[in-house]
Amino acid sequence: MTKFDDITVVVQGPVQTFQDREQEPGITEKCLSSVRAYLPGATIILSTWPDQKLDGLDYDELVISEDPGPNIRNYHKDGSPQFYNNNRQIVSTLAGLQHVKTPYAIKLRSDNFLTGNAFVAMQQQFPKRGEPFSFLRERVVVSNVFTRRYAKGFEVAFHLSDFFYYGLTEDLLKIWDLELLPDLPSSQADSIRGGPGGFPIDCTQMFWLRALNKFYPDLSLTGLLDNRPEAIEQSNQCYANNLIIGSPADIGLGLCQKFSGNARIARTKGKCAQWHFFEWQDLYRQYCDVAFQPDVTLRQRVRLFLTRLLHVYPTKLETVLKLRKG
């Protein structure tokens, strides 16, 4: 494809440092320019907040939403609240998607950018679907950055990244048409810390589960490390039947300095704990197309196993020891 008229890119979030949220200088301009370069003909909707400096930014439509402010979904041990930007992400993403008129859409953070358009062809390359938990009309391409297979050394379920989504507009709306989160009362602080391992559900798990619960109300987790066999199985089926999980290099996504270079998530220890594209292909073969052959060599599989042996599995023991001390 050389023109992408049927795609709208929703660039969501602040375009500068906003309410103590640091923003890399010039990153939104870089984001918008990358869309023009790699998706010629696509529409750009910038979904942001009031009083942002928009001079020099290249977009087709501007959506300004009232800032819902940070939300409280946990508390520190000293009783002070932990603030998150979950509602801000919901508002800016949903407001932008509701203005999309093209059949396909992208949800792209204003502090990330494109390095290619491989995700467009990729989205159509895995046509077969399984029946269990298949709730989207077509597959949605997502990034593996923060799509963790392991956290704190344990296998985890439903830990889906919120960075990048590409697919049918109606499918992205199914995922992001979410109610805002109420602040967690301080009286419930102990209960949210009381899940398996004492770790609350991660924000990314929360977003994905809330989308799934609109169609499958019984899906749930009691904490970050709730890795019951049935939870892992359900999570894998949801991944296999609705998504395509690829690395930034696989899909054509660039990350801001906060998530690249020497950032913790970009180091070997962080990368090897994430789902890899060939591992998602394994799920596709298992649940959707038994004749499919994943694009991977034995050497790649062995290398990932050995890397996890060094960086991931020892962390499990560290986590167990910390919990026992705690």
Side-chain angles (χ1 to χ4, degrees):
M1 293 179 66
T2 57
K3 297 196 70 176
F4 302 89
D5 306 74
D6 59 351
I7 298 174
T8 296
V9 184
V10 174
V11 175
Q12 55 84 210
V15 302
Q16 62 193 49
T17 298
F18 176 69
Q19 301 287 0
D20 298 324
R21 299 172 65 191
E22 292 187 5
Q23 192 82 319
E24 183 180 327
I27 189 64
T28 303
E29 183 176 3
K30 181 177 182 179
C31 172
L32 298 169
S33 297
S34 73
V35 175
R36 296 295 192 209
Y38 293 108
L39 297 175
T43 301
I44 299 178
I45 294 177
L46 178 60
S47 181
T48 188
W49 311 112
D51 303 321
Q52 295 281 283
K53 295 180 181 179
L54 305 175
D55 297 344
L57 297 182
D58 181 13
Y59 53 84
D60 298 302
E61 184 176 351
L62 179 66
V63 176
I64 300 293
S65 302
E66 181 180 349
D67 178 20
N71 57 292
I72 301 171
R73 63 179 303 267
N74 202 358
Y75 289 82
H76 297 284
K77 290 184 178 180
D78 64 2
S80 61
Q82 294 185 17
F83 293 101
Y84 295 78
N85 290 311
N86 303 146
N87 286 339
R88 283 172 167 157
Q89 181 160 198
I90 292 172
V91 168
S92 60
T93 300
L94 182 57
L97 288 173
Q98 288 174 334
H99 282 75
V100 173
K101 300 178 179 63
T102 54
Y104 288 88
I106 297 171
K107 181 257 196 224
L108 181 63
R109 287 171 56 122
S110 59
D111 60 357
N112 289 330
F113 53 94
L114 300 183
T115 61
N117 54 35
F119 53 86
V120 178
M122 181 186 289
Q123 194 259 347
Q124 296 291 323
Q125 288 174 352
F126 302 92
K128 295 190 177 181
R129 310 279 294 280
E131 287 299 325
F133 304 110
S134 182
F135 75 103
L136 299 180
R137 185 176 157 198
E138 292 185 2
R139 296 187 182 281
V140 169
V141 180
V142 300
S143 168
N144 76 331
V145 179
F146 289 110
T147 301
R148 287 194 171 104
R149 188 167 187 180
Y150 297 91
K152 302 185 185 299
F154 289 83
E155 192 171 10
V156 290
F158 301 108
H159 204 304
L160 181 67
S161 173
D162 58 0
F163 272 19
F164 174 93
Y165 290 70
Y166 168 69
L168 285 173
T169 302
E170 63 182 87
D171 287 334
L172 266 62
L173 282 166
K174 288 177 184 177
I175 296 172
W176 283 101
D177 189 358
L178 302 172
E179 294 183 2
L180 298 188
L181 291 159
D183 287 336
L184 181 76
S186 58
S187 59
Q188 296 182 21
D190 290 337
S191 64
I192 199 171
R193 287 197 294 265
F199 298 101
I201 292 173
D202 188 83
C203 293
T204 57
Q205 291 174 307
M206 178 272 297
F207 279 131
W208 183 228
L209 277 172
R210 292 184 77 211
L212 291 170
N213 284 159
K214 292 187 290 184
F215 304 90
Y216 313 106
D218 293 335
L219 294 180
S220 64
L221 293 175
T222 56
L224 169 67
L225 305 184
D226 180 2
N227 58 4
R228 293 165 292 125
E230 59 267 33
I232 296 296
E233 175 73 8
Q234 292 165 346
S235 178
N236 289 346
Q237 289 180 341
C238 289
Y239 288 162
N241 291 323
N242 299 283
L243 306 174
I244 300 171
I245 301 172
S247 71
D250 293 323
I251 64 181
L253 177 66
L255 306 178
C256 63
Q257 295 174 1
K258 181 180 178 181
F259 303 113
S260 59
N262 198 39
R264 185 171 61 177
I265 194 64
R267 298 172 193 166
T268 300
K269 186 174 183 179
K271 285 184 175 180
C272 71
Q274 301 166 5
W275 277 90
H276 287 236
F277 185 29
F278 73 80
E279 293 182 299
W280 177 85
Q281 292 179 61
D282 289 338
L283 295 182
Y284 178 75
R285 180 182 183 182
Q286 179 180 354
Y287 295 108
C288 305
D289 185 359
V290 295
F292 178 79
Q293 293 298 319
D295 182 17
V296 61
T297 64
L298 178 60
R299 183 177 180 180
Q300 289 173 305
R301 291 189 186 276
V302 172
R303 184 188 298 124
L304 179 59
F305 171 76
L306 293 177
T307 305
R308 285 175 174 165
L309 196 64
L310 180 63
H311 292 283
V312 173
Y313 305 133
T315 307
K316 183 175 183 179
L317 178 59
E318 294 175 7
T319 300
V320 171
L321 293 176
K322 286 180 181 179
L323 290 170
R324 287 180 178 176
K325 289 181 180 179

